[in-house]
Amino acid sequence: MISTNPISVVDMILSLRIDPSNGNNNNNVDPNRKRRGNLPKSVTHVLKSWLVQNAIHPYPTEEEKMRLSEATKLSMNQISNWFINARRRILQPILHEAAAAAVAGTDAPVENVLI
């Protein structure tokens, strides 16, 4: 018979998370794996500046990615991933805000918000 006592259900769930024998715990993280860190401000400033200047079409060419890679000392893959994330996390909300402001009759400059 299964107990419906909330305390025993919680205990059972917690034991599933902690019990190393079940293989479902999050303690199997590779200790040699590097932890992700934030990029230095000087790097993000360079990338955000490019993003602001090219807000109409925020997709750098391969040559532009190479120049940004040289300027920031990031790999091409890191540059590409940064722009993928920036278009979603930085540019998209700002463009939505600018569109809402335009509807309301005020113009908020994109450059002042990004940098």
Side-chain angles (χ1 to χ4, degrees), residues 4 6-7 16 19 31 36 39 49 55-56 58 66 74 78 82 88-89 91 95 98 103 105 107 109 113:
T4 58
I7 295 174
L16 289 174
D19 185 11
R36 179 188 82 74
L39 296 175
S49 295
I56 302 298
M66 287 173 54
L74 296 177
Q78 287 175 299
W82 188 91
R88 288 185 190 141
R89 297 177 186 165
L91 195 58
L95 293 177
V103 169
D107 291 326
V113 180

Side-chain angles (χ1 to χ4, degrees), residues 27-101:
N27 296 331
N28 293 334
V29 176
D30 183 5
N32 296 326
R33 185 174 176 191
K34 287 187 176 181
R35 190 168 173 259
R36 179 188 82 74
N38 293 333
L39 296 175
K41 288 186 186 224
S42 59
V43 169
T44 56
H45 180 74
V46 169
L47 298 174
K48 282 183 181 181
S49 295
W50 190 95
L51 186 67
V52 169
Q53 293 169 2
N54 298 278
I56 302 298
H57 185 74
Y59 298 89
T61 63
E62 290 302 311
E63 292 81 21
E64 289 170 322
K65 287 180 191 177
M66 287 173 54
R67 277 187 258 132
L68 290 167
S69 176
E70 291 170 6
T72 60
K73 306 295 186 228
L74 296 177
S75 69
M76 293 280 285
N77 192 37
Q78 287 175 299
I79 297 290
S80 295
N81 287 338
W82 188 91
F83 277 102
I84 289 167
N85 292 326
R87 285 189 291 267
R88 288 185 190 141
R89 297 177 186 165
I90 298 172
L91 195 58
Q92 191 174 26
I94 290 171
L95 293 177
H96 285 297
E97 184 179 313

